[in-house]
């Protein structure tokens, strides 16, 4: 994606091949800065502290983290230690375990001296595949947007198509393109008039800070709303469809995503607003059956609720306390939306109904 005329990805292998660069997402939208990561411990910290975030990007960072570890020590013991450390950073997004297991499986049977190089190639492959999957999601999602806008030609389009999204499932959450935002980028570039309602997404405000930043870079009209406004907008016919991302999708088509997604799906259902989830197949967990009881939901620090961080008038970053000092807070980071509330799953292979049979058919998973 372009930021002020420069092509960016969220993560890259540095030319020396033994460190990786990432955009520091904690500083956006106020500062665009990158950070260089040299060790797997630093990669783990970057995931845990949300310097990088978003399910697909967490997976790619984990893969590169394992590569960095193997470059220092390619023994089985070191591999297992780094694997466990990276895996423990964020429990909900399945892409992390998927990417780590993919690297581990590949290198396990190789002689030690070949492991680091093999891991590097595989991590790069995972990153490149992510870009291709997200772009394909964009193409499949574009067809849905065209269908819902109901216009043969964009010239006939009188009103912009109003899309509501939650959290950040754009290119900052992936390597490039994004999932939920990829169809929006495709539509805007094709000439469709489009407007995005951006849920601010408390407590960390990924919508207010990151989705709005991305859409602004691309010149896409958007309006930030408080998380509780979506239902009201839907009741008044101001939302044509909802598209969100996913951190883990079960084989039955239930979707775990940023906290608050479920409430949006309920409101969409009550108002007959189409509710789509965009996801690469790396986000499908083929093992889990019971989403509510089996998906580990990350509980984050209460401080994310009790305090708000932002840019101060003097330009520096700062935190302000919102709640009384004696108040406690509970901060589950994700929730589960049952497949019955989802109109369709937009994947790199096409659009699937959110049930086991349809997903099996699309991915022919044995
Ligand atoms: O806690 P975050 O910022 O990592 O949560 C991100 C989300 O919930 C996204 O919607 C999800 O990862 C899909 S991203 C393509």
């Amino acid at each position: 994606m372009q930021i002020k005329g420069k092509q960016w990805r969220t993560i890259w292998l540095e030319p020396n091949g033994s460190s990786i660069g990432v955009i520091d997402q904690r500083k956006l939208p106020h500062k665009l800065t990158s950070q260089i990561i040299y060790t797997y411990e630093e990669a783990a910290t970057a995931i845990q502290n949300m310097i990088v975030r978003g399910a697909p990007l967490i997976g790619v960072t984990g893969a590169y983290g394992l590569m960095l570890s193997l470059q220092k020590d390619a023994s089985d013991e070191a591999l297992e230690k780094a694997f466990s450390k990276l895996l423990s950073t964020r429990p909900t997004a399945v892409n992390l375990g998927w990417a780590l297991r993919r690297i581990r499986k590949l290198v396990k049977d190789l002689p030690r001296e070949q492991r680091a190089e093999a891991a590097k190639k595989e991590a790069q492959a995972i990153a490149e595949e992510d870009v291709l999957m997200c772009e394909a999601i964009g193409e499949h999602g574009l067809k849905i947007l065209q269908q819902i806008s109901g216009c043969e030609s964009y010239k006939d389009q009188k009103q912009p198509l109003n899309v509501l999204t939650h959290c950040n499932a754009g290119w900052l959450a992936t390597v490039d393109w994004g999932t939920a935002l990829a169809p929006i980028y495709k539509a805007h570039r094709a000439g469709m008039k489009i407007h995005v309602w951006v849920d601010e997404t408390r407590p960390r405000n990924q919508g207010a800070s990151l989705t709005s930043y991305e859409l602004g870079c691309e010149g896409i009209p958007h309006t930030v709303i408080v998380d509780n406004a979506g239902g009201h907008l839907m009741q008044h016919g101001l939302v044509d469809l909802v598209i969100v991302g996913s951190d883990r999708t079960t084989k039955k088509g239930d979707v775990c995503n940023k906290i608050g997604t479920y409430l949006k799906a309920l409101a969409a259902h009550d108002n007959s607003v189409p509710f789509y989830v965009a996801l690469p197949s790396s986000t499908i967990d083929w093992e889990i059956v019971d989403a509510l009881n089996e998906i580990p939901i990350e509980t984050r620090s209460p401080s994310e609720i009790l305090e708000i961080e932002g840019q101060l008038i003097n330009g520096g970053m700062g935190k302000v306390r919102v709640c009384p000092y004696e108040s406690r807070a509970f901060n589950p980071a994700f929730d589960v939306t049952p497949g019955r509330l989802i109109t369709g799953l937009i994947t790199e292979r096409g659009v699937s109904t959110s049930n086991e049979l349809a997903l099996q058919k699309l991915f022919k998973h044995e």
Side-chain angles (χ1 to χ4, degrees):
M1 283 285 155
Q2 297 259 335
I3 308 177
K4 293 191 180 125
K6 190 181 164 207
Q7 191 67 30
W8 281 85
R9 280 189 174 182
T10 52
I11 189 164
W12 57 92
L13 186 66
E14 285 286 296
N16 60 16
S18 55
S19 55
I20 54 169
V22 295
I23 292 178
D24 185 346
Q25 302 198 17
R26 298 168 310 172
K27 308 264 170 64
L28 290 173
H30 308 296
K31 268 192 198 129
L32 176 62
T33 51
S34 54
Q35 181 161 323
I36 305 297
I37 293 172
Y38 297 94
T39 64
Y40 86 84
E41 289 95 336
E42 287 171 3
T45 304
I47 298 171
Q48 198 146 34
N49 294 349
M50 295 180 70
I51 292 169
V52 292
R53 26 71 51 204
L57 180 57
I58 293 171
V60 175
T61 309
Y64 276 123
L66 217 46
M67 171 203 85
L68 294 174
S69 164
L70 286 161
Q71 286 176 341
K72 297 237 158 34
D73 182 347
S75 67
D76 283 348
E77 302 71 45
L79 173 64
E80 291 309 321
K81 192 172 163 209
F83 181 94
S84 306
K85 170 82 182 161
L86 287 160
L87 187 63
S88 69
T89 50
R90 295 203 67 193
T92 303
V94 75
N95 308 57
L96 179 58
W98 168 84
L100 290 172
R101 276 187 273 277
R102 189 164 147 179
I103 301 277
R104 182 172 68 174
K105 186 164 181 257
L106 177 81
V107 302
K108 264 276 190 203
D109 298 327
L110 292 176
R112 285 185 186 189
E113 61 280 8
Q114 291 176 16
R115 287 179 170 184
E117 192 53 31
K120 188 203 285 182
K121 288 207 177 96
E122 195 68 359
Q124 283 179 294
I126 291 172
E128 293 307 319
E129 282 167 25
D130 186 65
V131 178
L132 293 177
M133 287 195 285
C134 287
E135 187 167 8
I137 286 169
E139 292 294 344
H140 294 301
L142 172 61
K143 289 184 206 131
I144 292 170
L145 298 187
Q146 286 167 333
Q147 209 181 353
I148 293 177
S149 83
C151 294
E152 296 276 306
S153 142
Y154 300 130
K155 288 195 195 81
D156 305 333
Q157 199 189 354
K158 299 269 180 307
Q159 298 295 328
L161 189 73
N162 282 298
V163 186
L164 186 145
T165 191
H166 191 66
C167 195
N168 172 260
W171 68 269
L172 284 164
T174 63
V175 178
D176 205 350
W177 283 104
T179 57
L181 297 192
I184 293 169
Y185 291 134
K186 289 278 178 189
H188 178 71
R189 290 181 186 189
M192 184 188 284
K193 292 185 195 72
I194 197 155
H195 165 263
V196 185
W197 296 110
V198 179
D199 278 355
E200 62 175 347
T201 319
R202 278 285 282 148
R204 289 189 67 96
N205 290 316
Q206 290 95 326
S209 57
L210 304 177
T211 300
S212 58
Y213 177 75
E214 283 194 26
L215 293 170
C217 288
E218 196 75 6
I220 297 178
H222 60 278
T223 308
V224 180
I225 51 174
V226 296
D227 292 328
N228 294 326
H232 168 77
L233 297 181
M234 290 181 211
Q235 285 175 324
H236 289 271
L238 297 171
V239 180
D240 296 309
L241 76 156
V242 179
I243 315 183
V244 297
S246 168
D247 284 84
R248 197 184 287 236
T249 301
T250 68
K251 62 181 177 185
K252 290 180 156 185
D254 299 327
V255 167
C256 183
N257 192 50
K258 180 54 58 194
I259 193 85
T261 302
Y262 171 51
L263 288 178
K264 289 296 124 73
L266 283 175
H269 193 254
D270 194 43
N271 290 283
S272 304
V273 171
F275 184 95
Y276 285 94
V277 181
L279 61 124
S281 52
S282 52
T283 304
I284 303 174
D285 184 333
W286 295 102
E287 308 296 321
I288 275 182
V289 178
D290 180 347
L292 275 183
N293 289 308
E294 290 180 71
I295 297 179
I297 300 291
E298 177 181 8
T299 303
R300 295 190 60 86
S301 167
S303 67
E304 291 183 350
I305 296 174
L306 300 168
E307 299 155 0
I308 288 193
E309 190 170 10
Q311 192 176 43
L312 303 170
I313 301 300
N314 66 12
M317 295 294 285
K319 279 186 184 173
V320 292
R321 178 87 187 183
V322 179
C323 306
Y325 279 94
E326 57 277 13
S327 289
R328 291 189 304 167
F330 175 52
N331 189 9
F334 300 94
D335 63 23
V336 171
T337 299
R340 67 185 157 79
L341 298 177
I342 298 168
T343 311
L345 302 170
I346 311 170
T347 76
E348 75 273 16
R349 296 222 184 148
V351 181
S352 168
T353 312
S354 48
N355 64 47
E356 189 164 354
L357 203 66
L359 272 174
Q360 290 278 357
K361 208 168 146 200
L362 200 56
F363 289 96
K364 293 188 179 63
H365 190 82
E366 272 95 51

